[in-house]
Amino acid sequence: MRGVVMQPTPGLPQPALLSPTQGSRFSSTEKPSSGRRHCIPTMSLDIQCEQLSDARWAELLPLIQQYQVVRLEDCGLTEVRCKDISSVLQANPTLTELSLRTNELGNAGVHLVLQGLQNSTCKIQKLSLQNCGLTEAGCGVLTGPLRSLTTLRELHLNDNPLGDAGLQLLCKAFLDPQCHLERLQLEYCNLTATSCEPLATVLRAKPDFKELVLSNNDLHEAGVHTLCQGLKDSACQLELLKLENCGITSANCRDLCDVVGSKASLQELGLGCNKLGNAGIATLCPGLLHPNCRLRTLWLWECDITAEGCKDLCHVLRTKQSLKELSLASNELGDEGARLLCDSLLEPGCQLESLWVKSCSLTAACCSHFCSVLTQNRSLLELQMSNNPLGDSGVQELCKALGQPGTVLRVLWLGDCDVSDIGCRSLAPILLASRSLRELDLSNNCMGDSGVLQLMESIKQPSCVLQQLVLYDIYWSEEVEDQLRALEEERPSLRIIS
Amino acid sequence: MAMCLGSLLLVFMLGQVVTPPTLAQDNSRYRHFLTQHYDAKPKGRNDRYCDSMMERRGLTSPCKDTNTFVHGNKGSIKAICGNKNGNPYRENLRISKSPLQVTTCKHSGGSPRPPCRYRATAGFRHIVIACENSLPVHFDESFFHP
C-alpha cells in the first residue's frame, strides 16, 4: 500500500516495535558497544507529529522517566503537560537527550522543563527547545537553571523569538564558568547585530565551543564583522559555523577568509542565501585555499555567484582534498560555470562526494561535461541537478555515462528537468545496467504513463540495485498506480516515494 | 488546529496494515491527495507553517521541492472534477472555475537533506488537478511558480 513512507532516520536505532494504532516509533533496542562483550541497551522514545491523548500521555510518562533519549516533537504539548514532564525528568537518572521541538510550551512551560532538569540527577547532554514559544520575557528565569546544567553540551533554541534582549540574558548563563556548552543553535531568533557582541564574548571565553548556528537572523555587515572578530580572538576549535541568510556582504568575506584560514578545526561552513557575489567569493577563496583549512562541507547556495565566481572556487575544488560536499544551488552558473566545475572534478586532487547544483540555469549543453565526470571521477557519489532545463536530450547525454561499468554515482537528482517519456526511454536501461545508482529523483517532470511504465520494467527486475525512486508530482493513471503498488509489494527493498 | 499524521499513518504504513483491495482502490489516492494537499483551516500561512505542515504530512524525507496546500472546504476541490467547479485543462487535467485559498511551500536551502526549510507563498488562485473516478488524485504544481 503506497502513500506516506516512513524513512528510517540514519543513525537512529531501527524501530523494534511499531505501534500500529499510533504510528509512532518507540524502540528499546540493544546495540553492542564496540570493544565490549556485553550489550548496552539504548532506550529511546521518539514521537513526531502526533496528538497525544490523556490516556496515551499516561502510558508515556513512565517511559519518559526511564529512557535515555526522549524526543516528543510536534505532539501538541503545552504548559499543562510540562508539569508532568518536569516531575518525571527529576526522577530520571539516565536521560542524556531531550527534544520538545515544536510544542507550544510557552515561557512558563520551558521554565518548568528546565527546572525539572535542574533538579534531576541525570547528565543531560543535548537539549532542543526549538520552536517552543520561548520569548524575551521568558529568558530571565532560565539563566539559573541553564547555569546548573553542567553536563549540557548542545542546545537548540531555533525558532523562538528571543530577540537581542532575550539572548543577552541567556549569554549570562553561557558565560558562567560552570557552563560547558559546545554547540548552540539560534536560527530565526529575531536577533540583530546587537546580539553579536555578547556572542563574541562567549566565544572568546569558551575555548570548548564547537558549533554555532545563527542562520536567518538580520545580523548584517556590522554584526557579522563583530562575530568574526570574536571568532578570530577565540581559542575555540570551531567545527561548524552557519550564517545563512544573515545579510552577509562581500565586505565581510575579508573577515570570513581570516576565520577560515585560521580555524583548522572548521569542518562545515554555511554561507548560503547571502549576497556574497563573485567579489565576495574571490575574497573568501584564499582562506579556503590556506593549508590550515580542512573544510569538509561548504554551503554557497543563492549567493549571487556566476561562472566568474566559479573560476575562483575551482582552485579550491581542485586542491582541497578535504572538501567533500559543495552546494552552489540557486546561483546563475550557467553551462560555462558547470563546465568549469566539471573540469575541476576531473582533477585527482578533487575528492568531492556531493555536488548540489540545483537551479543553476544549466542546459543540455553542459551534460557532456558531466558525462566525463561520471565516467572518470571515482569520488563523486551524489549529484543534484534538479530544476535545470536539461530536457530529454540532456538526460540522454547523461545516460551515456551512467550506464558505464566503472561509474560510482549513487544518488542522482533530476527533479523538474523537463524529462518526458522520451527521457525515460533512455533512463530505463540505465536503471538495469548501473551497479552503483541507489537513489534517483525524477519528481515534477512531464513524463506520463508510458515513461513510468518503462522505468518500472527495469526496477521490477531483481538485478536492479536501485533502493529509492522519488516520483513526486507526476500524474499517472489508475492502471499504472495499481502496477506501482504491486511492484512495491514485490520489492520491499525498493522505496517508491510519491 | 493542527492536522497530524496520526490516524492517516494507520492507513498508509507500508505493509503494516492489510486493507480490503476494493476499499483501497476507491479512495486511497484521494486520501493521499488530501494528506499532501489539503489543510482546511491553516494557522498562519507563513514559512513556519510550511516547515511544520511539510513535516506533518510526511513530505520531508527527502525534502519535497514544491507543495501546495489548499484551504477551505474540500467539497470545492472535489467539484473541480465535475462541471460545478471545473473545466478540462490540457489533455487529462482539470482547472478550477473559481479561485481557491492556497499556500505553496517552496523548498529553500542548499540540499534536499532534512531538516527541510520552506518559503511560503499564500495566494488565492485557480488550481489544476487530475481526477480519477470523480475524485482528485493529483495536484499540478507546475501550473503556478511562486
Side-chain angles (χ1 to χ4, degrees), chain B residues 99-112:
Chain B
L100 296 153
Q101 291 290 352
V102 299
T103 307
T104 296
C105 303
K106 187 113 181 77
H107 181 250
S108 137
S111 85

Side-chain angles (χ1 to χ4, degrees), chain B:
Chain B
M1 209 171 68
M3 179 170 172
C4 278
L5 212 43
S7 57
L8 288 168
L9 257 177
L10 163 67
V11 182
F12 288 113
M13 284 300 272
L14 193 69
Q16 293 296 322
V17 177
V18 177
T19 306
T22 46
L23 228 77
Q25 205 98 18
D26 290 348
N27 268 336
S28 70
R29 282 184 94 186
Y30 174 52
R31 279 177 283 146
H32 187 59
F33 173 92
L34 292 176
T35 301
Q36 291 196 338
H37 298 293
Y38 181 63
D39 183 29
K41 294 191 174 107
K43 258 168 73 174
R45 292 151 68 182
N46 54 14
D47 296 353
R48 195 67 34 79
Y49 167 78
C50 281
D51 289 352
S52 57
M53 280 306 286
M54 292 299 283
E55 186 177 352
R56 283 177 188 170
R57 302 301 179 87
L59 300 170
T60 55
S61 226
C63 306
K64 185 173 189 263
D65 191 58
T66 309
N67 195 72
T68 301
F69 293 102
V70 186
H71 313 303
N73 187 331
K74 64 176 178 274
S76 316
I77 315 174
K78 268 203 266 187
I80 302 172
C81 295
N83 294 325
K84 261 206 209 141
N85 195 20
N87 280 318
Y89 183 79
R90 298 243 174 105
E91 271 178 36
N92 48 8
L93 302 173
R94 309 274 305 167
I95 185 167
S96 66
K97 278 185 180 167
S98 64
L100 296 153
Q101 291 290 352
V102 299
T103 307
T104 296
C105 303
K106 187 113 181 77
H107 181 250
S108 137
S111 85
R113 275 183 208 161
C116 314
R117 288 281 190 183
Y118 288 89
R119 287 180 185 146
T121 307
F124 183 56
R125 56 179 183 272
H126 296 273
I127 64 171
V128 171
I129 63 172
C131 303
E132 299 268 351
N133 306 318
S134 307
L135 290 172
V137 296
H138 168 78
F139 189 98
D140 185 347
E141 297 287 356
S142 63
F143 179 63
F144 170 81
H145 276 200

Side-chain angles (χ1 to χ4, degrees), chain A residues 63-120:
Chain A
L63 303 178
I64 303 170
Q65 191 169 315
Q66 293 165 47
Y67 280 33
Q68 262 175 265
V69 175
V70 174
R71 295 190 199 104
L72 300 168
E73 301 171 333
D74 198 4
C75 291
L77 304 177
T78 61
E79 183 193 327
V80 175
R81 292 224 165 125
C82 288
K83 292 198 180 84
D84 291 336
I85 295 173
S86 190
S87 305
V88 295
L89 286 179
Q90 289 182 48
N92 184 332
T94 65
L95 187 76
T96 57
E97 180 179 338
L98 174 66
S99 172
L100 297 170
R101 175 174 71 85
T102 308
N103 289 293
E104 277 286 329
L105 308 182
N107 290 329
V110 170
H111 190 202
L112 281 164
V113 171
L114 278 170
Q115 281 179 319
L117 286 169
Q118 181 179 23
N119 296 326
S120 172

